[in-house]
Amino acid sequence: WIDEWEEFERSLDAFKEERLYDCCYNLRQGLLKVWIKVYEKLEKKPMPISPGKSVDISPLKEFLKARNVPDETVNLIGRIYSYVAERSHSERDSIHSPDEVRFGIQLTFSAVEYLLRFYDSREENRLK
């Protein structure tokens, strides 16, 4: 989980340095890496990713739905991913406030905590 944690450390460093776009980029990357890792650990196969293209999170959402995660929860995690992804594009005209980005940090960490608990609880059940 070192790569994932490093993304979050980079995001917090960027936030402290007021590099808001970089902060959001690293939040997006960290959330995506955690989600993919949980997918791969539980599915016991690699996540289908096309090299050179943006990652399609649809398989990640379907993976959670197949495990009886409520649609509202799956969609919320997807929206959190979209929220920070939209704020990671410096080429867009919109400038985001530190409060918006701080909110993105809190949302992302909440989603990551959920995904990790989901992973942990599934692993514990397998061991029993």
Side-chain angles (χ1 to χ4, degrees):
W1 299 95
I2 292 170
D3 289 342
E4 294 77 9
W5 184 250
E6 286 176 348
E7 290 292 348
F8 298 122
E9 285 180 341
R10 283 192 287 274
S11 73
L12 295 176
D13 288 343
F15 183 76
K16 288 176 195 170
E17 296 167 7
E18 298 181 13
R19 293 181 292 113
L20 302 181
Y21 297 112
D22 292 338
C23 175
C24 291
Y25 174 80
N26 293 117
L27 289 172
R28 176 182 152 270
Q29 288 297 104
L31 176 56
L32 183 62
K33 285 180 178 184
V34 167
W35 205 350
I36 289 171
K37 192 161 196 167
V38 169
Y39 172 98
E40 291 179 343
K41 292 283 186 183
L42 294 179
E43 288 291 299
K44 298 194 183 318
K45 65 180 182 181
M47 164 73 184
I49 298 174
S50 300
K53 294 190 176 189
S54 295
V55 175
D56 176 13
I57 64 167
S58 298
L60 297 171
K61 292 170 84 172
E62 291 305 315
F63 153 77
L64 292 176
K65 288 179 184 180
R67 282 159 181 77
N68 299 318
V69 175
D71 286 345
E72 307 86 48
T73 303
V74 173
N75 292 333
L76 179 58
I77 295 169
R79 291 293 301 139
I80 292 168
Y81 176 81
S82 295
Y83 184 89
V84 294
E86 283 298 312
R87 283 153 184 79
S88 69
H89 298 290
S90 62
E91 68 276 4
R92 301 217 173 121
D93 291 334
S94 57
I95 296 175
H96 306 292
S97 73
D99 289 334
E100 270 184 271
V101 176
R102 184 179 294 108
F103 185 53
I105 292 168
Q106 294 166 342
L107 290 169
T108 301
F109 286 169
S110 180
V112 165
E113 180 185 14
Y114 179 83
L115 289 170
L116 292 176
R117 286 181 182 211
F118 177 78
Y119 170 72
D120 287 345
S121 68
R122 295 306 188 259
E123 284 301 304
E124 286 173 17
N125 289 335
R126 284 185 180 180
L127 296 174
K128 291 180 181 176

